[in-house]
Amino acid sequence: MAPIRAVPLMGVDARVWRGRLFYGAIVAALAYLIVVPVWRLQSLAFDDGGAGYKSQFGRSDIGDTLRTTVVLALASLAIAMVLGTLLAFAVTRLPHRAGFLRIIPVLPIVMPSVANVVGWAFLLSPGPGYLNALLRQLPWWDHLDSGPVNVYSSTWIIIITGFGLTSFVYLFVSAGMQNISSEHLEAAQSSGSSQLGVFFKVVLPLLRPSLVYGGGVALLLGLGQFTGPLLLGQNEGMKVLTTEMYRRTSESPVNYAAAAAAASPLVILGLLVVFGQRFLLGNQSRFVTHGGKSFAPVGGRSWWAAAFVAGYGLVALVLPLLGVLIVSLSPYWSENLSWDLFTLDNYRKLVDTPGIIESVTTSVGTSLAAVAVCVPVGLAIAMLVVRNQHLKVIRTLGDVISALPLGIPSVIFGVGFLLTYTQPPFILYGTKWVIILVYIVLMIPFATRMQMTALISMGNTYTEASAVSGASPLVTSLRVTLPMLKPAVLSAVALMFILLTHEFAASLMVRSATTQVMGTVLYDHWSNGSYTLVAAMAILMSAVTTAGVAVAMMVGGRNVLDNL
Amino acid sequence: MRMKRLAATMAGGLLSVAALAGCGSDSGGGEVAGSWDEILTAADKEGEVVIYGTVAPDNLELLKKAFEKKYPKIKLTYVRGTDADLLPKVEIENQTGRGTADVHMTTDAGWIDRNLDTDSSVDIVGPSFDDEAYDKAKSVIDDKWFLTSATVFGMAWNTDKLPTGIKTPADVLDPALAGGKIGVTNPSGIPTYVDMYRQINDDWGPGFVDKLAAQKPRVYDSAVAVGQAIASGEIWASPTIGSTILTEKANGAPVEFMIPEKPFGVPWYSHVLSSSPHPNAAQVLADFLVTPEGQAAISHDFIPVLPDIEGTGVAGTDVLAQEIPLGDPDELSGDSVAAYQQEWEKKFLG
């Protein structure tokens, strides 16, 4: 009997060890990519008796910088939470004929944040801003020669940042909203509750987990905001921790230690949120949502919902896009518009100006390369976390490490990568490799989480049913698991492509003078004041992303963005 | 089985990465050839040269056209940025040995001084440096740094917004221009501006900079951005360099520029980098910069290093770049610049 029992045990042991080795290697590689740059950067801040901290936190304006960072994060979070939640609710109440509007809340994600920010500058710059020029036609403002709105003020930077975060909050909240059974809402309504009553007494309490999680992520994104403060804030001296990091790396010689010190509060907060989230959520298999009964999305006949969603689309997407479009068709940016002046010269300049076409190919190439790595690695980590609970240590490490980039602002990874890859053993400065590597790091949480969510919500019942019906593990994988994951993978690919072709903060740190992506080239032209070219570039960036989404829709169906 | 599929998918992903990225970098260049003719031949073979410069983008574009016309086998790539953008990049390239730039232009006297004793530059060897009109003794430092151009700071304004114009720098202190109608350049990372603010604080009237700060001006990252902001009417006036304004004026923008009684000038010096990936083409470009064709491009609307070059110079002055001294490096040390920067930020952004 003994030899007969020993064979399967050895087989199990070998399988477990193969799993340990395979997943261990992936987690080790991720740890090197994700943890080492941040660790090296942070340890620099402590060198020479904490010289980095003395340099950064000894500055006379550090109090203002910290205060501005917190105020920007909290105030933009408040805007995003209110708008994101209302949008998610409004989308569930859309009349059937206005159902197409449900795509609107995620569309601002397709517009690059740099394009959005410059779009608002073109509209609301106190001097030549188009909306300001219109507002100055009103009788009570016709005496003004500039304003009334100042897009460079902290108030407006907060509002624009809040709009930018709204789509992210919406994604989390609408996911939670879809899990609210229509029976709850119908029961409340048939008991005489108004729509407002339903929202405050039923929807909001049920959404609490989504709101807490989405709010946490949006808070971290707010604390790590870089684009708005950098592009708009410099005019009036707005400083946040991320822009301070950028300034310290723009000094000669580069002051990595001070940049690292500026990053420390954000790293600590990020770690707290990532570990806190893990502690609070615990065993994720508790969140299986596929049940025996279907959960049909609730419908509605509320035209106020259609008006609200359309209004949001107008303000968050159409207006900034219009601002960018008008400047891109003008010979120079001026409040005085005339049909005679419209020209396509700026689009011709896109082709003639050195570096712009190269930046498009670099952006698309590095983004696709990073996505090609992230999908399989994300799937491996998702499988490790969901289906390999016996590998406790590796599983926990994989889970936490893959979540870290969501908690730590991308600008910190940018500086960490600049430091790490300009020194032995891997000197990658000036190559596209360093951009691909930092993109992989930034996207790993999305690749992992989206596939993990799909695996968790599938539960084991489908694979067990397949096995009970006599299918082998291979057949189950091919005919059950992978087809069910396909929408999640395609959505992940679409989201990663969108986010990467927009990527700006980390790219700005790791780019070299001739290896640039679209966002960094746009920023350089913005700094040089080539506003018309910036506008044409912003349209080009949006077009590239839209083309990517169109391809994803052709492959994955029209609901690819819905699955976000 | 699932493991094998995962491994295969990952391998596929990684292969795609290599294919999609088409990665590679500039490898370090070879040696500088012996005679000038050999250098020219070697430069043609290298076929490419990269210059980093803080001069206006339009001038770099002119330089590209003029250089490629004379040397059609060598493609010139330029990167325009402020010293804050470019100096860290030059340092990193030198530190890693992974050079992208071949030639670099700067106005930062402190940085030039700190780099004189390092191995970051190589000797220039072109024949044009020996041209009598160039005056090598006055124009070249340590056989490495060569005078390339110069600019002058004055007052610029938008003629639509200020039809009466500006006669003296004190005109921008008019209370009607307070609250964001004046633009200034942030000296952060650009020591030349530290030098400029220190200088005009005495030359343009007692306490001029303090009074300027009290006007609550709008702050920009570069003189080029200031020029565009004046052209668009975002700001009405600014103490800035003339060249970008004159370029905008030539494009039809409603702008004007005047040189005050005591203008502040600053010279550009260039050097060939030791991390240059195209060392021969770098020497050819360095040489070209001080030829009449090169000056007509790089010093268009700027102050040239050679006399009688059409299209160069700024109206109101006929000086050559050799007459504009480089700043005092002792006053532009890292600590001194950082201290002034903090002081400036308190005044202008506090």
Side-chain angles (χ1 to χ4, degrees):
Chain A
M1 288 298 285
I4 296 170
R5 286 185 61 195
V7 171
L9 276 176
M10 278 174 68
V12 170
D13 276 355
R15 214 164 49 229
V16 169
W17 274 106
R18 271 208 308 271
R20 276 197 185 123
L21 280 176
F22 175 74
Y23 289 117
I26 292 179
V27 171
L30 277 187
Y32 184 81
L33 266 185
I34 295 171
V35 180
V36 169
V38 178
W39 177 261
R40 283 180 83 164
L41 190 65
Q42 286 307 296
S43 40
L44 254 190
F46 292 97
D47 282 0
D48 295 333
Y53 287 108
K54 280 177 201 150
S55 166
Q56 182 58 40
F57 289 91
R59 297 175 69 87
S60 57
D61 54 1
I62 187 65
D64 277 344
T65 305
L66 289 171
R67 200 165 32 247
T68 310
T69 308
V70 172
V71 169
L72 173 75
L74 291 179
S76 57
L77 171 70
I79 293 170
M81 292 295 281
V82 171
L83 281 179
T85 310
L86 285 177
L87 275 175
F89 183 61
V91 163
T92 66
R93 314 303 298 165
L94 282 176
H96 289 299
R97 278 167 57 192
F100 65 94
L101 289 175
R102 72 179 194 280
I103 191 79
I104 282 183
V106 291
L107 276 187
I109 293 181
V110 179
M111 190 174 181
S113 60
V114 277
N116 191 289
V117 166
V118 300
W120 280 110
F122 292 145
L123 293 172
L124 290 175
S125 158
Y130 299 125
L131 275 183
N132 268 330
L134 279 178
L135 291 172
R136 287 200 293 270
Q137 304 294 319
L138 296 169
W140 53 91
W141 277 321
D142 61 359
H143 64 286
L144 295 177
D145 46 28
S146 70
V149 177
N150 179 5
V151 77
Y152 305 116
S153 65
S154 25
T155 308
W156 278 90
I157 293 172
I158 286 169
I159 291 171
I160 290 166
T161 306
F163 272 132
L165 295 179
T166 298
S167 293
F168 288 95
V169 173
Y170 167 83
L171 286 178
F172 285 105
V173 178
S174 68
M177 196 84 80
Q178 279 172 21
N179 294 337
I180 298 174
S181 145
S182 58
E183 284 95 337
H184 288 105
L185 308 185
E186 283 158 10
Q189 277 183 332
S190 57
S191 306
S193 188
S194 66
Q195 286 204 15
L196 269 184
V198 173
F199 180 73
F200 282 106
K201 290 179 186 161
V202 181
V203 175
L204 271 189
L206 284 172
L207 277 181
R208 200 165 58 191
S210 304
L211 286 174
V212 169
Y213 188 74
V217 172
L219 177 66
L220 288 176
L221 288 172
L223 285 167
Q225 270 301 311
F226 180 63
T227 313
L230 184 70
L231 269 70
L232 301 177
Q234 51 147 351
N235 265 193
E236 298 197 353
M238 183 190 210
K239 288 180 179 176
V240 292
L241 285 172
T242 51
T243 55
E244 282 294 275
M245 290 184 69
Y246 176 65
R247 296 290 175 203
R248 298 295 88 77
T249 57
S250 301
E251 290 173 358
S252 165
V254 174
N255 192 346
Y256 285 113
S264 291
L266 301 176
V267 172
I268 292 166
L269 267 174
L271 291 178
L272 281 177
V273 170
V274 168
F275 283 105
Q277 174 217 344
R278 201 189 140 65
F279 175 74
L280 287 174
L281 290 182
N283 179 5
Q284 303 199 11
S285 61
R286 288 183 299 141
F287 301 101
V288 175
T289 55
H290 282 223
K293 294 172 84 174
S294 65
F295 52 102
V298 291
R301 287 192 300 275
S302 306
W303 285 101
W304 69 262
F308 182 72
V309 175
Y312 170 77
L314 180 74
V315 174
L317 187 69
V318 179
L319 280 181
L321 205 55
L322 205 61
V324 168
L325 193 66
I326 296 173
V327 177
S328 77
L329 294 170
S330 307
Y332 51 85
W333 175 26
S334 158
E335 67 191 270
N336 303 315
L337 282 178
S338 157
W339 284 111
D340 303 338
L341 289 176
F342 278 178
T343 169
L344 290 174
D345 277 355
N346 298 314
Y347 290 94
R348 287 187 205 106
K349 267 194 204 163
L350 284 182
V351 182
D352 297 338
T353 306
I356 289 187
I357 298 301
E358 289 91 330
S359 76
V360 176
T361 52
T362 305
S363 268
V364 173
T366 52
S367 299
L368 289 177
V371 169
V373 173
C374 280
V375 169
V377 173
L379 179 60
I381 298 291
M383 298 284 271
L384 168 66
V385 174
V386 178
R387 300 269 162 90
N388 287 276
Q389 297 183 0
H390 56 287
L391 303 174
K392 281 189 180 132
V393 177
I394 298 176
R395 179 175 172 269
T396 307
L397 283 174
D399 194 15
V400 170
I401 290 172
S402 67
L404 277 180
L406 207 56
I408 296 174
S410 49
V411 67
I412 295 176
F413 281 105
V415 180
F417 270 59
L418 180 65
L419 171 72
T420 304
Y421 294 101
T422 50
Q423 292 174 10
F426 302 115
I427 297 179
L428 299 178
Y429 178 78
T431 71
K432 290 171 191 157
W433 284 112
V434 70
I435 298 178
I436 293 172
L437 289 180
V438 81
Y439 282 5
I440 292 172
V441 165
L442 298 181
M443 288 304 114
I444 276 295
F446 296 97
T448 306
R449 260 60 203 166
M450 289 178 78
Q451 295 183 89
M452 197 188 288
T453 307
L455 279 177
I456 291 171
S457 56
M458 267 171 65
N460 292 327
T461 48
Y462 297 103
T463 48
E464 282 166 6
S466 174
V468 166
S469 307
S472 68
L474 174 65
V475 172
T476 302
S477 290
L478 286 177
R479 299 182 61 178
V480 179
T481 311
L482 286 177
M484 290 187 77
L485 279 183
K486 188 182 157 195
V489 169
L490 281 172
S491 293
V493 167
L495 179 67
M496 288 190 282
F497 184 78
I498 291 170
L499 295 177
L500 288 180
T501 47
H502 294 182
E503 215 293 319
F504 172 63
S507 310
L508 191 63
M509 300 297 168
V510 300
R511 56 96 183 244
S512 70
T514 51
T515 307
Q516 301 243 39
V517 295
M518 292 189 287
T520 59
V521 168
L522 187 148
Y523 175 71
D524 284 349
H525 287 293
W526 174 262
S527 297
N528 284 332
S530 314
Y531 299 123
T532 50
L533 197 60
V534 164
M537 184 81 204
I539 296 288
L540 177 69
M541 275 182 88
S542 305
V544 169
T545 310
T546 309
V549 174
V551 170
M553 281 180 163
M554 279 161 61
V555 177
R558 295 181 60 180
N559 61 347
V560 159
L561 283 186
D562 293 354
N563 291 332
L564 293 182
Chain B
M1 190 56 76
R2 188 180 293 137
M3 200 93 73
K4 281 184 182 169
R5 289 185 58 79
L6 276 178
T9 319
M10 289 187 66
L14 290 169
L15 279 175
S16 316
V17 172
L20 288 166
C23 289
S25 69
D26 289 323
S27 54
E31 294 292 309
V32 182
S35 70
W36 185 245
D37 283 342
E38 286 167 340
I39 289 175
L40 288 172
T41 309
D44 277 351
K45 271 191 195 155
E46 287 168 354
E48 193 180 355
V49 66
V50 179
I51 183 169
Y52 288 0
T54 55
V55 74
D58 287 342
N59 292 63
L60 289 166
E61 184 62 31
L62 287 174
L63 175 71
K64 176 183 171 66
K65 288 192 175 122
F67 181 78
E68 289 179 353
K69 189 176 170 192
K70 185 163 183 186
Y71 299 102
K73 291 184 181 168
I74 309 172
K75 182 188 167 207
L76 186 148
T77 302
Y78 63 81
V79 176
R80 197 276 159 189
T82 62
D83 279 331
D85 298 323
L86 297 178
L87 295 180
K89 288 187 174 59
V90 172
E91 286 168 1
I92 288 173
E93 286 174 26
N94 189 47
Q95 168 211 325
T96 58
R98 280 185 175 270
T100 298
D102 298 298
V103 177
H104 166 227
M105 288 175 75
T106 182
T107 55
D108 186 344
W111 199 84
I112 293 171
D113 187 65
R114 287 193 293 280
N115 277 269
L116 283 176
D117 295 329
T118 70
D119 58 358
S120 60
S121 321
V122 298
D123 288 359
I124 44 171
V125 298
S128 304
F129 295 109
D130 297 321
D131 189 335
E132 200 177 319
Y134 182 63
D135 197 352
K136 190 172 182 181
K138 267 190 179 176
S139 309
V140 177
I141 307 171
D142 280 5
D143 286 332
K144 289 185 170 68
W145 288 87
F146 58 98
L147 184 64
T148 314
S149 192
T151 190
V152 64
F153 285 75
M155 301 303 305
W157 69 95
N158 181 300
T159 52
D160 287 347
K161 301 287 184 187
L162 284 174
T164 54
I166 286 180
K167 311 284 185 298
T168 70
D171 289 354
V172 296
L173 305 179
D174 182 343
L177 295 180
K181 293 192 180 78
I182 302 168
V184 292
T185 305
N186 193 334
S188 176
I190 316 175
T192 301
Y193 278 94
V194 171
D195 203 13
M196 186 270 280
Y197 284 113
R198 282 173 176 160
Q199 190 82 33
I200 65 173
N201 196 40
D202 296 330
D203 288 353
W204 291 6
F208 179 80
V209 171
D210 288 343
K211 291 173 188 166
L212 189 65
Q215 291 283 72
K216 293 282 166 209
R218 210 168 282 292
V219 178
Y220 293 85
D221 265 354
S222 71
V224 185
V226 165
Q228 292 276 332
I230 292 180
S232 74
E234 186 169 73
I235 51 172
W236 296 11
S238 173
T240 188
I241 61 173
S243 320
T244 50
I245 301 299
L246 295 175
T247 306
E248 290 302 322
K249 188 181 171 186
N251 291 342
V255 293
E256 195 50 86
F257 179 77
M258 60 83 70
I259 296 181
E261 199 180 322
K262 291 183 181 171
F264 173 78
V266 61
W268 266 281
Y269 276 78
S270 306
H271 61 143
V272 173
L273 291 151
S274 51
S275 55
S276 156
H278 315 103
N280 294 287
Q283 292 290 348
V284 174
L285 175 59
D287 182 78
F288 181 77
L289 281 167
V290 299
T291 60
E293 304 106 293
Q295 280 298 298
I298 202 74
S299 294
H300 181 73
D301 285 339
F302 282 83
I303 294 168
V305 296
L306 299 176
D308 306 323
I309 306 290
E310 200 181 330
T312 63
V314 178
T317 174
D318 55 0
V319 294
L320 288 179
Q322 282 84 349
E323 294 163 59
I324 297 176
L326 198 55
D328 181 352
D330 292 338
E331 288 183 10
L332 295 172
S333 67
D335 289 344
S336 166
V337 167
Y340 186 84
Q341 171 66 25
Q342 291 217 23
E343 191 187 317
W344 188 93
E345 285 185 4
K346 255 189 206 165
K347 280 181 191 159
F348 283 83
L349 301 170

